[in-house]
Amino acid sequence: MGGYAHSIGGRRWRFADLKELLAKASPARSGDVLAGIAAADASERVAAQMALAELPLRRFLDEAVIPYEDDEVTRLIVDGHDPAAFAPVAHLTVGDFRDWLLGDAADAAALAALAPGLTPEMAAAVSKIMRVQDLILVASRIRVVTRLRNTLGLRGRLSTRLQPNHPTDDAAGIAASILDGLLYGNGDAVIGINPAGDSTAHVCELLKMLDAVIGGYAIPTQACVLAHVTTSIEAIGRGAPVDLVFQSIAGTEAANASFGIDLALLQEGWEAGLSQRRGSLGDNVMYFETGQGSALSAGAHHGVDQQTCEARAYAVARRFRPLLVNTVVGFIGPEYLYDGKQIVRAGLEDHFCGKLLGLPMGCDICYTNHAEADQDDMDVLLTLLGAAGTNFVMGIPGSDDVMLNYQTTSFHDALYARQLLGLRPAPEFEDWLERQGILRLRDGRIALGGDLPPPFRGALARLREDGP
């Protein structure tokens, strides 16, 4: 008989194929229940996890969860696999791989060399049999460093996306949020706006505004307006100052089609971004966002569990050498991650899998107002991800995005994490903050400066009187 099986206490569970085995082994979450693919109870979940632990890693090279001929993401995964990089762990089972990851051999150099040899399904599989502490410990060893105008991902650093969203894209409101964020030391990952309107002309105006702020104050960071990739391509064609090309991505061809994209379009966007040559230190020009449940919400998951679908999105991301990858972990809603416990677990899984696959992972530590979660849960996840070495988190005024209508982390939350864990901003950005008098080092840790720095006093006065 085909498939997979495991017995516990005289009872035997069978799983028809790898797709079902992965789904049944996944820690409990509402999205898999909604899809009708979750384990029926804890006993079945444990049986699936034990069967998965006994599975040779090589099996993932022989059995695709979505057929090769049906899905371009599968083709990308299979065709891009590096057998030489895989060789050090090729003889292991999933359970053995977990033990190897937790052992002394899995240092930063070994994990970086291994990344091209791992498929997303391998990463998802091993994460399903790991505890929270395992996910944190292994991820903390992995550093993925990227550069455009500053250096992100170095050990001992925690960067932030300054997210100055406004429900009407009011320039004064955006400028006030940018000033607020900078004064808390936020913005080294990117100053990134989710636009209320997606017309190319409107996006170009926002890009010009951000470019004027960054250029006017000589801030060593990059800007992004999170418009559709086609809008960014068109904006580049109009001569707009596009630092980063953004796009939401998913782990199946059909889910990406629901976003209006495919791999060829992402390639076009990547090449357009590279053509700008706006980096002073590097050429990582893509910014991707993902989230567990996106494929299911589009009816495009092919019966694959949401965490494995999420890991497959990371194969899409790593093809284009991004500066930033952000799992927007609780944004899609409680239909997919029901409560704080599920959001915390998912955020750590995503960060672990992305880092293991060689990506510069950050996390939008967030929840919607109808989820069974609160800011205490976000504090927990922020602290755990800080310990796990996440590249960046979000910074939003008061933790409340008044345009997208969800709760996330604030400017002062990032300062808390940096002070608690002894983390600092990107080095070039930190130097700028010190020169401006915004932050200073005290016993190797950052602290806020004193009064409002002179360069920003005039800006604040102008905001109060006339707008930006």
Side-chain angles (χ1 to χ4, degrees):
M1 183 179 296
Y4 306 91
H6 194 84
S7 298
I8 302 176
R11 183 178 177 185
R12 189 166 181 81
W13 282 266
R14 296 188 181 277
F15 310 99
D17 53 23
L18 184 56
K19 178 168 62 176
E20 182 182 6
L21 179 63
L22 287 167
K24 301 290 189 182
S26 196
R29 59 209 53 196
S30 52
D32 292 338
V33 174
L34 179 66
I37 59 175
D41 53 32
S43 296
E44 185 179 28
R45 181 172 298 110
V46 169
Q49 289 172 341
M50 295 179 75
L52 185 61
E54 296 166 355
L55 189 70
L57 284 177
R58 287 188 180 276
R59 184 63 187 159
F60 292 93
L61 303 177
D62 301 327
E63 183 178 348
V65 295
I66 303 173
Y68 182 93
E69 59 275 13
D70 294 345
D71 186 87
E72 69 172 0
V73 177
T74 299
R75 294 193 289 274
L76 175 68
I77 292 167
V78 173
D79 296 345
H81 181 254
D82 185 339
F86 179 57
V89 298
H91 61 292
L92 300 178
T93 65
V94 173
D96 293 333
F97 183 41
R98 172 188 175 273
D99 293 342
W100 183 87
L101 287 171
L102 293 169
D104 293 337
D107 59 16
L111 290 167
L114 178 64
L118 296 178
T119 70
E121 291 84 356
M122 293 176 190
V126 74
S127 76
K128 294 176 192 294
I129 62 168
M130 297 177 85
R131 293 173 57 184
V132 161
Q133 65 176 252
D134 301 338
L135 298 171
I136 295 170
L137 179 63
V138 176
S140 72
R141 297 172 178 170
I142 304 171
R143 307 312 307 178
V144 182
V145 178
T146 57
R147 295 177 176 88
L148 192 67
R149 294 206 192 97
N150 56 19
T151 305
L152 304 174
L154 295 170
R155 187 168 300 281
R157 306 281 175 168
L158 173 64
S159 297
T160 62
R161 170 185 162 191
L162 200 170
Q163 186 169 311
N165 293 346
H166 192 278
T168 64
D169 285 341
D170 176 75
I174 291 171
S177 292
I178 292 174
L179 177 59
D180 189 15
L182 289 173
L183 293 177
Y184 275 98
N186 282 246
D188 49 340
V190 63
I191 302 176
I193 300 172
N194 295 92
D198 200 34
S199 74
T200 303
H202 181 64
V203 167
C204 288
E205 288 304 310
L206 290 174
L207 286 164
K208 291 173 185 175
M209 175 189 174
L210 292 177
D211 188 56
V213 171
I214 290 173
Y217 290 97
I219 308 171
T221 190
Q222 37 281 324
C224 186
V225 176
L226 282 68
H228 193 270
V229 62
T230 54
T231 305
S232 294
I233 292 170
E234 188 173 347
I236 289 171
R238 296 187 185 187
V242 177
D243 293 339
L244 296 178
V245 176
F246 168 80
Q247 184 55 49
S248 294
I249 58 173
T252 73
E253 180 179 350
N256 284 325
S258 75
F259 293 147
I261 63 167
D262 57 18
L263 296 179
L265 182 58
L266 292 177
Q267 179 75 24
E268 183 182 352
W270 185 33
E271 292 173 358
L274 290 170
S275 74
Q276 296 290 85
R277 300 184 182 276
R278 292 182 60 80
S280 56
L281 297 181
D283 63 354
N284 300 116
V285 297
M286 301 299 285
Y287 175 15
F288 294 119
E289 288 191 345
T290 67
Q292 287 194 30
S294 58
L296 174 58
S297 68
H301 63 297
H302 297 272
V304 178
D305 70 271
Q306 65 182 41
Q307 192 253 332
T308 301
C309 279
E310 171 72 4
R312 284 169 55 92
Y314 303 152
V316 176
R318 71 177 173 180
R319 167 69 181 83
F320 302 102
R321 298 177 47 243
L323 182 77
L324 308 165
V325 179
N326 177 31
T327 169
V328 191
V329 65
F331 182 74
I332 303 180
E335 299 83 1
Y336 307 96
L337 294 170
Y338 179 72
D339 57 14
K341 181 179 178 64
Q342 292 188 11
I343 291 170
V344 167
R345 170 81 195 190
L348 295 171
E349 289 170 348
D350 295 350
H351 179 256
F352 164 85
C353 288
K355 283 284 185 69
L356 196 60
L357 293 167
L359 287 177
M361 289 301 297
C363 185
D364 191 341
I365 301 164
C366 62
Y367 64 101
T368 56
N369 289 318
H370 60 308
E372 291 296 319
D374 58 29
Q375 213 64 34
D376 286 346
D377 298 310
M378 302 306 102
D379 286 349
V380 168
L381 182 52
L382 171 62
T383 306
L384 296 178
L385 282 170
T390 189
N391 279 31
F392 67 101
V393 296
M394 302 297 109
I396 295 176
S399 304
D400 183 8
D401 191 307
V402 295
M403 195 276 279
L404 293 176
N405 238 354
Y406 76 116
Q407 308 301 311
T408 180
T409 47
S410 70
F411 301 141
H412 59 274
D413 290 340
L415 182 62
Y416 146 77
R418 285 168 169 169
Q419 291 180 333
L420 174 71
L421 300 169
L423 303 172
R424 292 155 60 182
E428 302 84 359
F429 192 77
E430 179 183 81
D431 291 345
W432 180 83
L433 291 170
E434 287 195 272
R435 290 196 306 271
Q436 303 304 317
I438 295 172
L439 293 181
R440 64 183 185 277
L441 286 176
R442 179 187 295 166
D443 298 327
R445 295 173 183 259
I446 64 168
L448 287 176
D451 296 332
L452 185 68
F456 297 98
R457 292 174 187 167
L460 184 58
R462 289 193 299 275
L463 274 172
R464 287 171 172 165
E465 295 172 6
D466 305 316

